[in-house]
């Protein structure tokens, strides 16, 4: 593989799985915090399903299994930041100060919409007391963290998720117009179907079923010869990845 432009072999295609977080994967390495949240969420959902009575998701004490480190770059962005919409203004104020994030006064369209709908003070769906610090030095690969299984669902598109779909005895609101979750067209894939959809399975079956890099999408590229004699594939005459000296020599 050269600069992720083309991947002619199965081994090179398979390397792309390291760029995938959950899509097309059988499991995902999570932080310890996220792994605990996922297991607690599953346990809560299982308890609600075992009641066999219809329940409304609007009043159920469920929380989002959320890992801030997955969007650390966005949370550290000072000029445009939506942390206050994720955590709530009060908690976000404490978290960002502790993390040393100096955020300008929010003046974006989404915040204005939340304010107009009186939603800025509404409690978030995050579990209270979990997020003490932000932007920790964590790794989602290597020996740190914990593996969590990924579930595959089908709707109008593929859905790969750490958390299960709502059970059939749930509805958006008791007495409301929305049907139970299974009627919404979200169905869990069987183990056989899930395995067939895994990125690794598709690649090993045929590398022509997946395109990695722009040259495999469009197939129109150029080559240049470096001073060492190495052939370098490039996307076009003005490819910004071409070393300036080589670009000047060629053109």
């Amino acid at each position: 593989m050269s600069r992720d432009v083309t991947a002619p072999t199965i081994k090179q295609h398979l390397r792309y799985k390291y760029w995938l977080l959950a899509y097309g994967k059988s499991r995902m390495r999570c932080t310890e915090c996220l792994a605990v949240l996922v297991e607690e969420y599953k346990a809560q959902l299982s308890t609600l399903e075992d009641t066999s009575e219809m329940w409304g998701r609007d009043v159920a004490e469920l929380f989002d299994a959320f890992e801030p480190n997955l969007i650390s770059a966005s949370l550290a962005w000072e000029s445009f930041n939506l942390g206050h919409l994720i955590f709530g203004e009060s908690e976000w104020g404490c978290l960002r100060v502790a993390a040393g994030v100096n955020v300008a006064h929010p003046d974006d369209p989404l915040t204005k919409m939340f304010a107009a709908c009186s939603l800025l003070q509404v409690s978030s769906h995050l579990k209270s007391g979990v997020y003490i610090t932000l932007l920790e030095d964590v790794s989602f690969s290597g020996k740190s963290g914990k593996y969590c299984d990924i579930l595959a669902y089908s709707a109008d598109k593929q859905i790969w998720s750490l958390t299960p779909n709502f059970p059939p005895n749930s509805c958006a609101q008791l007495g409301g117009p929305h049907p139970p979750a299974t009627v919404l067209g979200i169905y869990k894939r069987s183990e056989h179907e899930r395995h067939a959809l895994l990125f690794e399975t598709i690649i090993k079956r045929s590398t022509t079923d997946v395109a990695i890099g722009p040259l495999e999408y469009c197939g129109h590229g150029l080559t240049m010869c470096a001073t060492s004699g190495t052939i370098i594939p490039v996307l076009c005459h003005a490819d910004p990845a071409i070393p300036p000296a080589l670009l000047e020599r060629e053109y």
Side-chain angles (χ1 to χ4, degrees), residues 30-42:
C30 307
T31 61
E32 292 287 350
C33 177
L34 180 57
V36 170
L37 289 175
V38 168
E39 291 306 314
E40 289 183 0
Y41 179 86
K42 288 181 178 179

Side-chain angles (χ1 to χ4, degrees), residues 17 31 54 66 74 82 110 122 126 156 174 189 195:
K17 68 182 180 182
T31 61
M54 188 65 70
F66 173 65
S74 297
L82 298 178
L110 194 56
V122 175
L126 302 181
D156 56 345
L174 285 177
R189 294 276 191 172
H195 184 269

Side-chain angles (χ1 to χ4, degrees), residues 31-99:
T31 61
E32 292 287 350
C33 177
L34 180 57
V36 170
L37 289 175
V38 168
E39 291 306 314
E40 289 183 0
Y41 179 86
K42 288 181 178 179
Q44 277 189 293
L45 211 58
S46 179
T47 299
L48 289 168
E49 183 175 13
D50 290 342
T51 62
S52 71
E53 296 180 358
M54 188 65 70
W55 53 275
R57 299 191 293 272
D58 59 325
V59 294
E61 295 184 359
L62 292 171
F63 58 85
D64 292 331
F66 173 65
E67 174 52 69
N69 287 282
L70 290 173
I71 59 169
S72 58
S74 297
L75 292 176
W77 198 5
E78 297 184 356
S79 59
F80 183 79
N81 197 303
L82 298 178
H84 57 291
L85 300 184
I86 298 173
F87 296 95
E89 288 188 316
S90 178
E91 185 169 356
W92 171 242
C94 298
L95 289 171
R96 70 174 182 81
V97 169

Side-chain angles (χ1 to χ4, degrees), residues 23 152-160 184-187 189 197:
Y23 186 87
Y153 291 88
S154 63
D156 56 345
K157 59 183 178 181
Q158 295 181 32
I159 300 173
W160 299 80
L184 298 178
I186 302 176
Y187 302 96
R189 294 276 191 172
L197 291 171

Side-chain angles (χ1 to χ4, degrees), residues 212-226:
I212 305 296
L215 285 188
E216 291 190 16
Y217 280 101
C218 62
H220 301 290
L222 304 170
T223 59
M224 287 187 176
C225 183

Side-chain angles (χ1 to χ4, degrees), residues 224-227 232 234 242-251:
M224 287 187 176
C225 183
T227 54
I232 303 175
V234 297
I242 303 173
L246 181 58
L247 187 64
E248 183 178 354
R249 189 197 73 187
E250 291 289 326
Y251 301 110

